[in-house]
Amino acid sequence: MTRFGVLGPLRVADGRTPGPAKHRTLLAALLLAAPEPVPAGRLMAAVWDDRPPASAESVLRVYVSALRKLVPGIRTVPGGGYLLDVAPADVDCHRFERLVAEARRERAAGRAEAAAGGLRAALGLWRGQALDGVESSVLRRAYGVPLEELRLTALEERVELDLGLGRGAEVIGELRALVGAHPLRERAWVQLMDALHQAGRRSEALAAYQEARRTLVGELGLEPSAELAEAHRRVLLDARPLVPVASRDGGGWGRPAGVVDELPPDISDFCGRGDALAWIGRTVAEAASTAPVHLVLHGPPGVGKSALAVHAAALNLAGGSDLAGGDGLPGGRLHASLGARSAQAVLEDLLRSLGCPDGAVSPALDERVRLYRSLTARRRLLVVLDDAADEAQVRPLLPTGPGSVTLVTSRSSLPGLEAARAYELGLMTEDEAVALLAGVAGADRVRAEPEAARRIVRLCGRLPLALRIAGSRLARKPGWTLDHLAGRLGDERRRLDELSAGDLAVRGSLALGYRGLPDPERRLLRELGAFSAPDFAPWALDADLEPLAEAGLLRSRGLDEAGQERYGWHDLTRLYAAERLAEEDGGPGGVLACRAEAILERVRRAHAALLPAEPGTGRTRIHPEQGREPTLETGLLRGEARWLSAERRFLVAAVGDFHRAGLYEAAWRLAFYLTPLFELNAHHDDWHATTATGLDAARAARHRTGEALLLRGLADLHRIEGRLEAAEAALRAALPLAEGLELARVTLRLGLVQARRAGTRPALGPQAEQALGRALRAFEEAGDRRGRAEALRGLGTLRREAGPLEASFAAYRELGDRRGAAEVSLDLARLHLAAGRHAEARRCLERRLEVNRRLGDRLPEAVALLVRAELENAEGRHGPAAADARAARETFVDYGDRANAARALLALGRAALANGTDDAVGVFVRAMGEFDGLGEGDQDARTGAAEAARLAEEARRRR
């Protein structure tokens, strides 16, 4: 008995079927794919019927967690997604498909009795309608409908076998039920007539024909097909029924032409693609041998679709393999290059290949299609249709013979092609790419320069066409080293020129796809060429990018963390788009100038949500909007942070794009708007890079305020990193540039830096107090509420007084800045902890953690957990302290926050030391190493390393 069932109401062997509808849908999606992984995007599409909400990703994780309590074996897979680790035989739909495939092999071998028994066992697994009670039209379309169709086909095949075994009288009842449920299914009527005829009930067989005819004419306006009319003729003449299928597996109607084989020669240096070849083999082996199999290999230009199709055909479909059904494809092998050719023209070639004389080929498309289907209906063919443009081009070319296999290559997945399975062919792995380069250029040369070989692979973007061209150039230039070619490819301006050899050219391959686009899509691809980012969402150009994905020039990467569809492209496609933009539109400047305002405004809104009333963001919000629900406010803050995080790589690249295009105002403003994102998630490298570019842009634009804003942001970065001298230098450079309240803000930051430095230089304490006091007075006189909140926080921290901090907390709350209030809560917690007021410290920490978790701010949450670990240690609760420290360290490591990761080790070590465990010394030694790795310029790192050394020595003494 199978453990899981989808062929009827959803079933789990122990009876613990999930209650909520979406949980059932999620389990069904995992079972239908088991044991293969299912990307998170596909699961969200199934659970929410192609309309997932913005929160779908996080909600999906909750659903998975709930399911794991009922169904063991649900695992998270790298790259986002889940799989159910269960044997296919334990899921009734997979067992059903396997039993049908086995029965068909038995029938092909002439063992009709065994085949009928196998199909009977397969059909016995059904308990009702597939996916009954599962509320997902996505799953019903993708799995339910094909399974129901296979069920009906298997039933008809089993009945046909029973008829061949003389069991006509036994199957009349279920055939009457079948035609009652599916009155337009002509094959079922034929079988009912044959069964009645075989049982000696000719009058009932003739009556069945009349009923079938009335139904077809009344419902469809069509006369019965040739097959149904032939069954009627047999009954009238009392002729013997048709020979059973089991004895005519390989026979062919139509012309007895010789076996045709038009496949191109296999590629001698083909390598890799093991997963794709295995998928082709598995899919064909599992498919119905009495139905044609259509496979679509799709992917971007140059990815190796044609090479894979030819290699699969030559290697796996040459005969005698599982893919060929055990006895090859005796009907022949056809190949057609489609491109821009019409289906009508291609059909003429295919018909002649099948032995049809010139005079028999009608000029009309419909007549050609009918003739092609007639000639292929009783042959088992392999047809390779290369470079298909769309579904309409392919449909007339599909063979109809049982067990025939069609391999279609296309840049599109051809989603509208009925009964077809699609496989997206991606880039090669780095090892596969190196092997391909070695196969073309020579293995000895690659072994002699392995690093240069990998550099060539990276510059070619692991694209097979580019690698083959690079290898060909090396093969023709024995005097070139691989390092020399890598150097030539390193120049982006010449890379497409370098990737050309004979009639092979990456540019030419891309140009085919580009020229096939309508004018609006060509213009859209050129406009995308203005941006250097590796991926983007449609909002960037306010355009639908799906047509470019369907053309294979972009690749959908699913939904990002903000719930947007995201698209990426190959680096060589990006270079081609930029090249077309330069040649046809004069370069990126115009596109970037048109989009700059929209991009800046969208990022400004996100900046303002993260930092309400932050100066420099244009319109600011001093008070929370009246009437807005707190949950909506929280959703807005969380959503804007997620949006910025999803767009980070695009926006960081856009700063450089604007600068290179001479749009200096846009470049420095965008760099400034991104700073709260970088601070929130510790993206320090991006913060450094965009600030440097933004400063160059502000100086090129001679915008003193912009330069001051960015220097202030740079000082914040240095202060966070513990580089206090560098932070003070940046602020002193900003002082002569700042005016009005910006001067007060720079003064405030200077006071914060001096306060931090006062720990080692006490003389700076009074200076810090004076700077913070001056800033506070300036903000209060001008009514700058954010400035006042920040200055009060700085004074409270410096003086170690709760009063200013409480006032700061209230000010942030008044601004509607939940994150700012949460930061002050953490300052208060530290203050209370240092004073031994543990209950107050815990209250502030819980308040802080609640905000972090509501907003999804993992890194600030980890900082709060680290402080709570210190509190737990102080209270003697060393087990919970270690747990908090471990959880915090895990997040710090994920985000690359090395300084806090080292501090978490200190907290772990203190817990171990208090518990008297032997590993305390090792933990402190590791912490010393991590603090030392932060560099001499980090004052906090020096302090941390000294503390770790002291505690390590104490732990040694206690041993």
Side-chain angles (χ1 to χ4, degrees):
M1 178 179 175
T2 54
R3 291 175 54 202
F4 302 98
V6 296
L7 301 179
L10 190 65
R11 187 187 71 185
V12 180
D14 60 8
R16 295 188 301 166
T17 304
K22 286 186 166 49
H23 291 196
R24 293 198 302 274
T25 301
L26 175 59
L27 177 57
L30 293 170
L31 287 170
L32 289 163
E36 299 297 322
V38 188
R42 273 176 46 198
L43 289 173
M44 289 187 283
V47 171
W48 284 279
D49 250 351
D50 275 332
R51 294 185 297 275
S55 61
E57 189 172 356
S58 59
V59 175
L60 182 67
R61 288 196 292 269
V62 174
Y63 290 171
V64 170
S65 179
L67 266 188
R68 283 174 169 151
K69 298 175 183 176
L70 296 176
V71 181
I74 299 177
R75 291 173 19 212
T76 304
V77 296
Y82 303 90
L83 65 79
L84 180 55
D85 191 5
V86 61
D90 284 336
V91 185
D92 60 3
C93 64
H94 302 313
R95 182 171 173 78
F96 168 68
E97 291 175 330
R98 183 175 64 80
L99 288 173
V100 170
E102 290 173 355
R104 285 167 172 167
R105 286 194 285 271
E106 293 286 354
R107 186 207 56 205
R111 295 187 285 272
E113 185 72 59
L119 288 170
R120 192 171 287 107
L123 291 164
L125 295 170
W126 285 76
R127 297 169 289 106
Q129 184 179 12
L131 300 174
D132 187 12
V134 175
E135 300 174 4
S136 173
S137 61
V138 171
L139 292 182
R140 281 196 294 275
R141 286 195 305 268
Y143 296 98
V145 172
L147 282 168
E148 292 284 356
E149 181 61 29
L150 182 57
R151 175 193 192 181
L152 292 174
T153 303
L155 176 58
E156 290 171 345
E157 291 173 14
R158 200 222 73 221
V159 167
E160 193 162 358
L161 287 164
D162 283 339
L163 289 171
L165 294 166
R167 299 169 178 164
E170 299 175 19
V171 299
I172 291 172
E174 62 183 322
L175 283 171
R176 287 197 186 279
L178 181 60
V179 298
H182 303 277
L184 301 180
R185 202 170 180 92
E186 291 187 71
R187 191 181 183 196
W189 285 108
V190 170
Q191 290 181 325
L192 176 59
M193 292 173 64
D194 284 342
L196 290 165
H197 187 197
Q198 191 180 94
R201 296 155 64 174
R202 288 179 65 205
S203 62
E204 292 180 61
L206 293 172
Y209 174 77
Q210 295 301 329
E211 185 180 352
R213 183 179 181 277
R214 281 195 302 272
T215 301
L216 292 169
V217 172
E219 294 288 334
L220 304 177
L222 296 175
E223 289 292 334
S225 67
E227 185 181 12
L228 190 53
E230 173 62 21
H232 182 228
R233 186 190 66 80
R234 286 197 306 273
V235 177
L236 287 171
L237 299 176
D238 200 13
R240 186 180 174 190
L242 288 174
V243 178
V245 172
S247 66
R248 52 182 169 87
D249 179 64
W253 288 4
R255 305 179 54 130
V259 175
V260 62
D261 192 346
E262 297 182 342
L263 286 180
D266 193 11
I267 299 162
S268 60
D269 52 16
F270 186 94
C271 65
R273 301 305 196 190
D275 290 345
L277 290 168
W279 177 83
I280 295 172
R282 184 171 62 252
T283 306
V284 174
E286 293 172 354
S289 60
T290 55
V293 182
H294 311 312
L295 307 180
V296 179
L297 306 174
H298 65 100
V303 81
K305 303 179 293 292
S306 302
L308 174 62
V310 170
H311 185 68
L315 180 65
N316 296 324
L317 297 168
S321 70
D322 287 342
L323 290 179
D327 59 351
L329 288 154
R333 301 165 185 84
L334 302 176
H335 181 276
S337 295
L338 306 189
R341 300 178 69 202
S342 68
Q344 191 168 0
V346 177
L347 270 174
E348 183 175 4
D349 293 345
L350 293 176
L351 288 169
R352 290 202 172 97
S353 296
L354 291 170
C356 192
D358 292 350
V361 179
S362 167
L365 175 62
D366 290 348
E367 291 296 328
R368 290 183 179 183
V369 171
R370 277 196 288 272
L371 181 56
Y372 179 67
R373 289 175 177 169
S374 176
L375 289 177
T376 62
R378 298 304 172 118
R379 301 186 185 205
R380 295 185 63 223
L381 289 164
L382 164 66
V383 180
V384 177
L385 302 175
D386 192 28
D387 194 22
D390 53 36
E391 295 90 340
Q393 185 187 36
V394 171
R395 282 193 193 96
L397 311 178
L398 298 174
T400 57
S404 291
V405 177
T406 308
L407 289 176
V408 184
T409 71
S410 177
R411 298 181 183 191
S412 165
S413 63
L414 305 181
L417 194 61
E418 299 82 357
R421 301 283 188 90
Y423 184 93
E424 183 174 11
L425 191 61
L427 301 172
M428 286 184 144
T429 67
E430 187 166 293
D431 288 341
E432 287 177 336
V434 171
L436 175 57
L437 184 65
V440 181
D444 291 341
R445 296 175 74 179
V446 169
R447 278 195 296 269
E449 298 181 81
E451 289 305 316
R454 293 193 177 276
R455 187 179 169 208
I456 290 172
V457 163
R458 288 191 290 272
L459 289 169
C460 290
R462 295 182 281 122
L463 188 71
L465 175 60
L467 289 162
R468 187 166 294 281
I469 292 170
S472 297
R473 296 200 69 190
L474 288 168
R476 289 182 173 86
K477 298 279 189 179
W480 279 15
T481 63
L482 271 69
D483 187 65
H484 174 73
L485 177 59
R488 295 173 69 100
L489 292 171
D491 184 351
E492 281 196 353
R493 295 167 299 179
R494 295 173 48 195
R495 193 175 302 164
L496 290 175
D497 294 326
E498 294 291 337
L499 291 174
S500 175
D503 62 352
L504 288 178
V506 171
R507 182 184 282 113
S509 176
L510 294 166
L512 283 175
Y514 176 71
R515 288 197 295 268
L517 294 171
D519 286 343
E521 276 72 42
R522 283 204 297 269
R523 183 170 60 252
L524 180 58
L525 184 71
R526 293 197 305 272
E527 290 175 350
L528 284 172
F531 298 95
S532 61
D535 56 51
F536 25 73
W539 75 272
L541 282 177
D542 192 22
D544 181 11
L545 301 180
E546 192 59 27
L548 295 180
E550 291 174 357
L553 293 166
L554 298 183
R555 183 176 181 182
S556 173
R557 294 185 175 171
L559 301 181
D560 60 26
E561 60 189 285
Q564 307 171 115
E565 182 81 13
R566 202 151 202 90
Y567 297 86
W569 55 0
H570 194 277
D571 200 43
L572 296 175
T573 308
R574 177 183 64 80
L575 293 178
Y576 179 76
E579 183 180 272
R580 300 314 315 149
L581 181 65
E583 292 188 10
E584 298 183 37
D585 302 289
V591 175
L592 293 171
C594 287
R595 295 303 303 162
E597 183 177 352
I599 291 172
L600 288 172
E601 174 58 20
R602 180 64 187 88
V603 182
R604 186 205 64 76
R605 292 204 314 269
H607 179 116
L610 265 63
L611 291 177
E614 163 72 3
T617 60
R619 294 184 299 276
T620 58
R621 180 159 55 90
I622 299 302
H623 295 281
E625 294 179 21
Q626 296 300 315
R628 174 175 283 175
E629 294 290 333
T631 53
L632 295 178
E633 180 78 11
T634 299
L636 170 68
L637 297 176
R638 183 172 57 240
E640 291 297 89
R642 284 182 176 175
W643 182 85
L644 274 173
S645 182
E647 296 295 341
R648 176 173 62 88
R649 291 202 302 175
F650 173 78
L651 296 171
V652 167
V655 173
D657 295 335
F658 288 144
H659 184 272
R660 285 188 292 275
L663 300 171
Y664 299 128
E665 177 89 7
W668 78 254
R669 284 194 179 278
L670 182 55
F672 171 70
Y673 291 160
L674 290 174
T675 53
L677 165 68
F678 299 149
E679 181 172 0
L680 183 64
N681 291 324
H683 297 304
H684 293 177
D685 290 343
D686 288 340
W687 197 347
H688 276 293
T690 54
T691 298
T693 303
L695 280 170
D696 284 346
R699 288 162 183 160
R702 298 185 178 181
H703 201 296
R704 294 169 59 85
T705 300
E707 187 177 353
L709 288 170
L710 287 162
L711 284 169
R712 171 161 62 86
L714 179 61
D716 287 341
L717 172 57
H718 287 319
R719 178 164 51 88
I720 290 168
E721 292 179 327
R723 300 168 56 190
L724 302 180
E725 291 86 351
E728 185 168 346
L731 291 168
R732 295 204 179 279
L735 281 172
L737 302 170
E739 299 177 354
L741 284 178
E742 181 56 30
L743 179 60
R745 286 184 280 274
V746 172
T747 303
L748 167 65
R749 296 307 199 282
L750 191 59
L752 295 176
V753 171
Q754 290 171 337
R756 284 274 299 276
R757 296 186 68 191
T760 56
R761 295 180 59 187
L764 291 176
Q767 295 181 35
E769 176 96 20
Q770 291 173 5
L772 294 170
R774 286 198 305 273
L776 176 60
R777 287 190 294 275
F779 292 137
E780 288 179 336
E781 289 171 5
D784 186 328
R785 296 171 182 263
R786 168 167 290 279
R788 176 176 176 273
E790 292 176 345
L792 285 169
R793 182 186 174 197
L795 282 168
T797 303
L798 175 64
R799 296 172 180 170
R800 295 182 176 83
E801 292 179 1
L805 289 174
E806 294 288 359
S808 175
F809 177 81
Y812 277 117
R813 290 288 296 269
E814 186 181 358
L815 284 169
D817 187 350
R818 299 188 176 202
R819 289 187 171 93
E823 290 300 317
V824 180
S825 291
L826 190 66
D827 294 336
L828 282 165
R830 286 177 170 135
L831 182 67
H832 292 314
L833 175 59
R837 297 187 292 270
H838 292 172
E840 291 88 340
R842 186 174 295 279
R843 178 177 56 81
C844 292
L845 281 170
E846 295 308 320
R847 185 170 64 192
R848 155 74 176 231
L849 284 167
E850 181 185 5
V851 173
N852 294 153
R853 287 164 180 166
R854 280 180 178 273
L855 298 181
D857 295 345
R858 288 187 60 210
L859 195 60
E861 178 188 352
V863 174
L865 287 175
L866 185 53
V867 177
R868 193 169 73 177
E870 296 172 7
L871 172 62
E872 303 283 10
N873 272 327
E875 292 179 334
R877 295 160 44 85
H878 306 299
D884 279 346
R886 273 192 293 270
R889 179 171 167 81
E890 184 178 335
T891 300
F892 294 141
V893 171
D894 286 347
Y895 278 78
D897 189 341
R898 296 164 57 207
N900 274 320
R903 294 185 186 102
L905 276 180
L906 278 182
L908 272 172
R910 288 191 179 99
L913 181 62
N915 282 330
T917 56
D918 292 337
D919 60 348
V921 173
V923 173
F924 290 131
V925 170
R926 282 174 58 202
M928 288 169 56
E930 293 193 12
F931 279 123
D932 288 341
L934 295 174
E936 288 295 323
D938 189 330
Q939 177 179 309
D940 292 340
R942 294 195 300 271
T943 303
E947 177 67 3
R950 184 188 68 78
L951 290 169
E953 185 59 35
E954 181 179 344
R956 288 191 186 96
R957 288 197 305 270
R958 291 190 186 184
R959 276 183 172 178

